[in-house]
Amino acid sequence: MEDSIINLLEQLRVEKPLVHNITNLVVMNNTANALLALGASPVMVHSPLEVREVVDIAQALVINIGTLSEDTAEAMLVATEHANTIGRPWVLDPVGAGISAFRNDLLSNLLDLKPTVIRGNASEIMTLYNFNQPNTKGVDSTTASKDALRFGQLLQEQTGSIICISGEVDYILSQQYRVEVFNGNPLMTQVTGLGCSATALIGAFLGVTDHYFEAAVAGVSILSLAGELAAQTAAGPGTLQLNLYDELYQLNAERLKSKLKIKRYAH
Amino acid sequence: MEDSIINLLEQLRVEKPLVHNITNLVVMNNTANALLALGASPVMVHSPLEVREVVDIAQALVINIGTLSEDTAEAMLVATEHANTIGRPWVLDPVGAGISAFRNDLLSNLLDLKPTVIRGNASEIMTLYNFNQPNTKGVDSTTASKDALRFGQLLQEQTGSIICISGEVDYILSQQYRVEVFNGNPLMTQVTGLGCSATALIGAFLGVTDHYFEAAVAGVSILSLAGELAAQTAAGPGTLQLNLYDELYQLNAERLKSKLKIKRYAH
Amino acid sequence: MEDSIINLLEQLRVEKPLVHNITNLVVMNNTANALLALGASPVMVHSPLEVREVVDIAQALVINIGTLSEDTAEAMLVATEHANTIGRPWVLDPVGAGISAFRNDLLSNLLDLKPTVIRGNASEIMTLYNFNQPNTKGVDSTTASKDALRFGQLLQEQTGSIICISGEVDYILSQQYRVEVFNGNPLMTQVTGLGCSATALIGAFLGVTDHYFEAAVAGVSILSLAGELAAQTAAGPGTLQLNLYDELYQLNAERLKSKLKIKRYAH
């Protein structure tokens, strides 16, 4: 797995994929900067009037539903339908799944459109599998990622999507494999939008390979590793966020080889 | 007062209140990070289609009118009416009060809904009391907070809300008391949204106590103290903003006890 | 030229011009902070219902089309028409010119309204001159600024606007002069929105002088110099962004005198 991640990162820095983000307003700046720091090229366009044309020129699409309006919800449906039509991979971040009927309806429609990858925290993944679950606590997870593993696997079977569950251990699930990522740091939960940044990085890797499972593993593990390294010298969440960009920028084969803690299992 | 602030901070870190923010686009990321750094849990949702459901699950509501649209203005009215109905406390940040008829109309409607707390700079508080004042200079205050004290007291009587005025000295006013906070640093005025962050912290404290005046004092004084500490080692406004999150994260009883400079007066 | 820049900066810090930004959601926070760090006073208001009143009280207007909606597009037209009516200078940042018909239509309308200054990267400036060019690659430039020089000059003649082209070398073009700025650092391309920050600074200088060409030169060169200084001690793009605010804050006559690398040519 490590070699595949190293190769994908090299490829990303050469190809500089254009990643189209229809994303939430809280993290727009951060995810743009995470993509740029790693070596990708972000474009954030969310008007229903122009997303189709941007999907055409981008290599991958990121959908993050954190701060919805009717307009952006419509743009997400227009963009993902068009991505499917022209064979563009896309990743869904179901931020706040379960907190409102409007949000759940949109998520139902997006699930029907079969995302290439879905990445969320434990609560969000559990809610996606069963919209009759009790409400989540806003956008922070109330469930350990391990508890969500069973639901993640069921969601994988239901949708055919690759499922990523972020938490103390990160899980990436396909029909055949489960990868566990042990990198990260608890302080990361006190910075907004690091999960969203993982989703954006998955988008960047989807833009450089047809091996979507490897792309998802690369996005999740690189964000968790960069966060872990960023936390080591951080006095708090402010420094962590700052260091994260620098770590993404400095990340190389040697660091990945020596620091990544991931395991792959066949089901 | 210091003991009350210390207790409230401990309580906040245990309870991790969910704070619903309908806030301005400039500071969304910063206020989310300030809330997370202190120990609260932010949720930023602003579609009129879903704010009612989020008010239901949140412990407090923050309304910041910095960057309005018709949609968010409607969401603010829907959310605050619902908050009143179910007894949820809320804080109003009247950013840019006076700069347009649209903004003043919305503020009039929000004042009628009796915010639990209102926090603004001197110009904004003066404008709120009398919408016939000359225009403010954008969103930065043109008046010292001391000059606004009389108007703040009148606004308190008019609305019954707790009134907070930020400035070189911060004032928190109830029917019975006036608290003065002497923490802070002039460099804080060259970072966008630190007043908005104070408002968000007030929201967090409103989520853990029924003593709303103490909550307002805690929010205002903790932000001013964290800014003061952040400025001490800052080379400029960039470092100040970064340090602020780390200071909020590191804040503890000992620091509060030794560094807070606040005084309470009975009227 | 250096003396003019030094004088303009001093003037800006005394007058603290109110700069009205109708700008993109990715960089709102950054451009507000860049303006504050330098000494100007930003106001970000984008509802068509209130932009006219804000243009009235502001000294200059910044239009950045990065993340459009129908609402903000309308606000941009309302605000620029009103700015022309009352003689307020304004600067246009044509982010992502060429990526959609909706965006190109808006840009055509804005060009008809004769911006005081236009600032973009090479691809954007080339696209503005000829909307029949092939699509740009998102928002990052695919063309060196030098190659765009000819198109920039043609665009200058077509519109009468002052044209700024950002890149390894920055160009500022009027009917009579061409200024070349050699400050900057390649790492700046891995931080989102530094071009947008240059545009915002141009807006700030437009607010303190009628010599619009000098204002454009000051905005472009000060941002490039601050970025160059910020990069010198940066471990990556995270630190660069942070340092940039501190550098803008610390910038003074001595630093400008010794570090600026600019040349002026008559056509």
Side-chain angles (χ1 to χ4, degrees):
Chain A
M1 291 303 298
E2 286 84 353
D3 286 342
S4 143
I5 295 170
I6 290 166
N7 290 338
L8 284 173
L9 179 57
E10 277 172 16
Q11 212 174 324
L12 183 147
R13 284 179 174 156
V14 173
E15 297 182 18
K16 299 183 192 306
L18 184 64
V19 184
H20 179 192
N21 298 266
I22 306 179
T23 191
N24 89 59
L25 306 174
V26 182
V27 303
M28 266 195 168
N29 183 270
N30 303 62
T31 56
N33 272 325
L35 287 166
L36 283 168
L38 195 65
S41 180
V43 57
M44 330 300 265
V45 167
H46 54 247
S47 167
L49 295 173
E50 54 179 355
V51 291
R52 201 177 275 115
E53 288 159 274
V54 179
V55 169
D56 277 332
I57 57 168
Q59 275 77 55
L61 174 62
V62 175
I63 301 290
N64 180 313
I65 65 160
T67 53
L68 289 175
S69 69
E70 283 185 273
D71 228 36
T72 48
E74 187 197 334
M76 288 173 186
L77 293 171
V78 169
T80 51
E81 276 173 27
H82 189 58
N84 285 350
T85 302
I86 65 170
R88 203 72 82 235
W90 60 285
V91 53
L92 171 65
D93 195 324
V95 179
I99 63 172
S100 77
F102 173 55
R103 197 166 288 240
N104 291 351
D105 285 349
L106 174 64
L107 282 172
S108 284
N109 289 329
L110 289 169
L111 288 186
D112 288 346
L113 289 164
K114 302 201 168 299
T116 316
V117 181
I118 302 169
R119 191 220 61 86
N121 62 33
S123 295
E124 289 157 355
I125 295 298
M126 288 172 71
T127 304
L128 274 196
Y129 177 65
N130 184 355
F131 280 113
N132 302 319
Q133 299 287 320
N135 276 349
T136 63
K137 186 197 174 196
V139 296
D140 295 328
S141 183
T142 50
T143 314
S145 58
K146 198 177 169 184
D147 300 336
L149 192 50
R150 192 168 60 88
F151 290 93
Q153 202 60 55
L154 291 166
L155 184 64
Q156 198 288 316
E157 286 161 23
Q158 202 183 60
T159 59
S161 304
I162 294 154
I163 308 296
C164 308
I165 312 172
S166 295
E168 200 186 324
V169 177
D170 305 318
Y171 299 99
I172 302 101
L173 309 169
S174 71
Q175 209 187 330
Q176 293 171 284
Y177 297 111
R178 179 179 86 245
V179 165
E180 303 188 353
V181 178
F182 299 93
N183 295 102
N185 186 292
L187 186 57
M188 292 170 72
T189 61
Q190 283 184 268
V191 178
T192 196
L194 294 193
C196 305
S197 295
T199 303
L201 297 192
I202 293 169
F205 285 110
L206 289 176
V208 296
T209 178
D210 293 337
H211 296 95
Y212 297 143
F213 185 68
E214 279 73 9
V217 170
V220 168
S221 61
I222 280 182
L223 194 283
S224 287
L225 173 57
E228 178 183 314
L229 298 172
Q232 279 170 4
T233 55
T239 333
L240 194 159
Q241 172 71 79
L242 172 87
N243 289 351
L244 182 79
Y245 303 127
D246 293 352
E247 293 292 344
L248 288 172
Y249 173 75
Q250 292 170 7
L251 216 55
N252 57 22
E254 196 191 349
R255 275 208 149 159
L256 286 168
K257 201 127 210 164
S258 66
K259 302 280 189 184
L260 275 177
K261 286 172 279 190
I262 60 178
K263 274 190 195 159
R264 188 174 66 175
Y265 304 88
H267 293 316
Chain B
M1 292 305 297
E2 287 84 352
D3 287 342
S4 144
I5 295 170
I6 289 166
N7 290 337
L8 284 173
L9 180 56
E10 276 170 18
Q11 213 174 322
L12 182 146
R13 284 179 174 156
V14 172
E15 296 182 18
K16 299 182 191 306
L18 184 65
V19 184
H20 179 190
N21 298 267
I22 306 180
T23 190
N24 90 58
L25 306 174
V26 182
V27 305
M28 266 194 168
N29 184 270
N30 303 60
T31 56
N33 271 326
L35 287 166
L36 282 169
L38 194 66
S41 181
V43 58
M44 330 300 266
V45 167
H46 54 246
S47 167
L49 296 173
E50 53 178 359
V51 290
R52 201 177 275 115
E53 289 159 274
V54 179
V55 169
D56 277 331
I57 57 168
Q59 275 78 56
L61 174 63
V62 175
I63 301 290
N64 178 314
I65 65 159
T67 54
L68 289 175
S69 68
E70 284 186 274
D71 228 35
T72 50
E74 187 198 335
M76 289 173 185
L77 294 172
V78 170
T80 50
E81 277 174 26
H82 189 58
N84 285 350
T85 303
I86 65 170
R88 202 72 82 234
W90 60 285
V91 52
L92 171 65
D93 195 325
V95 179
I99 62 173
S100 77
F102 174 55
R103 196 166 289 239
N104 291 350
D105 286 349
L106 175 64
L107 282 172
S108 286
N109 289 328
L110 289 169
L111 287 185
D112 288 345
L113 290 165
K114 303 201 168 298
T116 316
V117 181
I118 301 170
R119 192 220 61 86
N121 61 34
S123 295
E124 289 157 355
I125 295 299
M126 289 172 71
T127 304
L128 274 196
Y129 176 66
N130 184 356
F131 280 113
N132 302 320
Q133 299 287 320
N135 277 348
T136 64
K137 186 198 173 193
V139 296
D140 295 328
S141 184
T142 50
T143 315
S145 57
K146 197 177 170 185
D147 301 336
L149 191 49
R150 193 169 58 90
F151 291 93
Q153 202 60 56
L154 291 167
L155 184 64
Q156 199 287 315
E157 286 161 24
Q158 200 182 63
T159 60
S161 304
I162 294 153
I163 308 296
C164 307
I165 312 173
S166 295
E168 199 185 325
V169 177
D170 306 317
Y171 299 99
I172 302 100
L173 310 169
S174 71
Q175 210 186 330
Q176 294 171 283
Y177 297 111
R178 178 179 87 246
V179 165
E180 303 189 351
V181 178
F182 300 93
N183 295 103
N185 185 292
L187 186 57
M188 293 170 72
T189 62
Q190 282 184 269
V191 178
T192 195
L194 295 194
C196 304
S197 295
T199 304
L201 297 192
I202 293 169
F205 285 110
L206 289 176
V208 297
T209 179
D210 292 337
H211 296 96
Y212 298 145
F213 184 69
E214 280 73 9
V217 171
V220 168
S221 61
I222 280 183
L223 194 281
S224 286
L225 173 57
E228 178 184 313
L229 298 172
Q232 279 169 4
T233 55
T239 333
L240 193 160
Q241 172 71 79
L242 173 87
N243 289 351
L244 182 80
Y245 302 127
D246 293 353
E247 293 292 345
L248 288 172
Y249 174 77
Q250 292 170 6
L251 217 55
N252 57 23
E254 196 191 349
R255 276 206 147 161
L256 287 168
K257 201 125 210 164
S258 66
K259 303 279 189 185
L260 275 177
K261 287 172 278 189
I262 61 178
K263 275 190 195 158
R264 189 175 64 175
Y265 305 88
H267 294 314
Chain C
M1 291 303 299
E2 286 84 352
D3 286 342
S4 143
I5 295 170
I6 289 166
N7 290 338
L8 284 174
L9 180 57
E10 275 170 18
Q11 213 174 321
L12 183 145
R13 284 179 174 155
V14 172
E15 296 182 18
K16 299 182 191 308
L18 185 63
V19 184
H20 179 191
N21 298 266
I22 307 180
T23 190
N24 90 58
L25 306 174
V26 182
V27 304
M28 266 195 169
N29 183 270
N30 302 61
T31 55
N33 272 325
L35 287 166
L36 283 168
L38 195 66
S41 181
V43 59
M44 330 300 265
V45 167
H46 54 248
S47 166
L49 296 173
E50 54 178 356
V51 291
R52 200 176 276 115
E53 288 159 275
V54 179
V55 169
D56 276 331
I57 57 168
Q59 275 77 55
L61 175 63
V62 175
I63 301 290
N64 179 313
I65 65 160
T67 53
L68 289 174
S69 69
E70 283 184 275
D71 229 36
T72 49
E74 188 197 335
M76 289 173 185
L77 293 172
V78 169
T80 51
E81 276 173 27
H82 188 58
N84 285 351
T85 303
I86 65 170
R88 202 72 83 235
W90 59 284
V91 52
L92 171 65
D93 195 325
V95 180
I99 63 172
S100 77
F102 173 55
R103 197 166 287 241
N104 291 351
D105 285 350
L106 174 64
L107 282 172
S108 285
N109 289 328
L110 289 169
L111 288 185
D112 287 346
L113 290 164
K114 302 204 169 296
T116 315
V117 181
I118 302 170
R119 192 220 61 84
N121 62 34
S123 295
E124 290 157 355
I125 294 299
M126 288 172 71
T127 304
L128 274 196
Y129 176 65
N130 183 356
F131 280 114
N132 302 320
Q133 299 287 321
N135 276 350
T136 63
K137 185 199 174 193
V139 296
D140 295 327
S141 183
T142 51
T143 314
S145 56
K146 197 177 170 186
D147 301 335
L149 192 48
R150 192 168 60 88
F151 290 93
Q153 202 59 56
L154 292 167
L155 184 64
Q156 199 287 317
E157 287 161 24
Q158 202 182 61
T159 59
S161 304
I162 294 154
I163 308 295
C164 308
I165 313 173
S166 295
E168 200 184 324
V169 177
D170 305 318
Y171 299 99
I172 302 100
L173 310 169
S174 72
Q175 211 188 327
Q176 293 170 283
Y177 297 111
R178 178 179 87 245
V179 165
E180 303 189 351
V181 178
F182 299 93
N183 294 103
N185 185 291
L187 186 58
M188 293 170 73
T189 61
Q190 284 185 267
V191 177
T192 195
L194 294 194
C196 304
S197 295
T199 303
L201 297 192
I202 293 169
F205 286 109
L206 290 176
V208 297
T209 179
D210 292 336
H211 296 96
Y212 297 145
F213 185 68
E214 279 72 10
V217 170
V220 168
S221 62
I222 281 184
L223 194 282
S224 286
L225 172 58
E228 177 183 313
L229 298 172
Q232 279 169 4
T233 55
T239 333
L240 193 159
Q241 171 72 79
L242 172 87
N243 289 351
L244 181 79
Y245 302 127
D246 293 353
E247 293 292 345
L248 288 172
Y249 173 77
Q250 293 171 5
L251 216 55
N252 56 23
E254 195 192 349
R255 275 208 149 159
L256 286 168
K257 200 127 208 162
S258 65
K259 303 280 189 183
L260 275 177
K261 287 172 278 189
I262 61 178
K263 275 188 195 160
R264 189 175 65 175
Y265 304 88
H267 293 314

